[in-house]
Amino acid sequence: MEIELEINDVEWTVDAAKSDSLLDVLRRNGYTGAKRGCDTGACGFCTVHVDGEPVKSCVEPVMNVEDASIETIEGLGEQDDLHPVQQAFVDNTALQCGFCIPGMIMRSTALLEANTDPTEQEVREALSDNLCRCTGYKKIVEAVLDAAERMDGGTAVAADGGKAVEGNERVANSTECTVNDCDCMEGGQ
């Protein structure tokens, strides 16, 4: 059957079976940013926005989103003009393998649209439905908090993730090093 979808502000007529998930249809039509992880809604790798709300597309029947507005990671920004959340993830090195990142970014943008100044705990709670098997979440949380500042017109950020300050003086972000129980500060040397 054919159904009408609006994906990243473009109207589409797509072929779909009644049993297809939104993720099935997106990936079949070239939107491969949303990843297939668990197929049970447990990992969040497939998160997209449906009418502005984060939705796990692997468990969302495509029939439920007919005529809805769908936004995928491909609709946020372009390589030369990243969305502030995408840029904050890059600048804060908030990724390792990258598989979970599209879902994390989509969940994070939904959070920041609803709450422009979240606390660290609010970020952690908002991302609790999205798994990352590589990072431990510290850099991801830092990236979301950084993105909140950027989107609020707050602190400028240097290309290496350090916070820019007035004039030519710059202060790098510092986090405690966890390698071999040393006492150094990453980025603070």
Side-chain angles (χ1 to χ4, degrees):
M1 68 179 39
E2 290 185 342
I3 64 169
E4 302 292 323
L5 297 175
E6 180 186 308
I7 305 171
N8 300 330
D9 298 323
V10 176
E11 297 290 331
W12 283 78
T13 301
V14 297
D15 289 321
K18 282 188 173 188
S19 61
D20 281 344
S21 70
L22 175 56
L23 180 62
D24 294 329
V25 171
L26 288 172
R27 291 188 63 82
R28 241 189 345 256
N29 286 281
Y31 295 97
T32 58
K35 304 299 184 210
R36 184 175 309 280
C38 64
D39 270 338
T40 63
C43 70
F45 297 170
C46 64
T47 302
V48 298
H49 295 172
V50 176
D51 291 332
E53 296 296 319
V55 169
K56 295 175 182 175
S57 63
C58 74
V59 293
E60 184 68 33
V62 73
M63 305 310 286
N64 289 357
V65 298
E66 186 169 15
D67 298 321
S69 176
I70 299 158
E71 185 177 34
T72 68
I73 190 80
E74 293 91 346
L76 278 186
E78 297 178 12
Q79 186 68 33
D80 295 334
D81 185 26
L82 296 176
H83 184 279
V85 175
Q86 291 171 309
Q87 190 64 57
F89 269 67
V90 170
D91 291 347
N92 286 277
T93 60
L95 53 104
Q96 285 185 11
C97 80
F99 200 76
C100 70
I101 297 304
M104 287 283 188
I105 288 174
M106 297 307 289
R107 176 83 50 186
S108 298
T109 57
L111 165 67
L112 296 177
E113 288 171 8
N115 180 354
T116 59
D117 189 25
T119 65
E120 179 180 335
Q121 184 60 35
E122 289 169 328
V123 171
R124 288 183 180 281
E125 287 173 12
L127 296 179
S128 66
D129 284 345
N130 288 63
L131 298 178
C132 177
R133 305 248 187 241
C134 300
T135 67
Y137 303 94
K138 183 172 178 43
K139 295 275 190 182
I140 291 170
V141 171
E142 289 172 354
V144 176
L145 293 171
D146 181 13
E149 286 185 33
R150 294 175 190 215
M151 293 171 71
D152 194 33
T155 308
V157 178
D160 68 352
K163 293 186 178 183
V165 294
E166 290 188 37
N168 292 331
E169 194 175 332
R170 190 176 68 76
V171 177
N173 284 339
S174 295
T175 56
E176 289 185 32
C177 180
T178 57
V179 178
N180 298 327
D181 297 320
C182 75
D183 294 326
C184 73
M185 298 295 285
E186 291 178 5
Q189 300 179 27

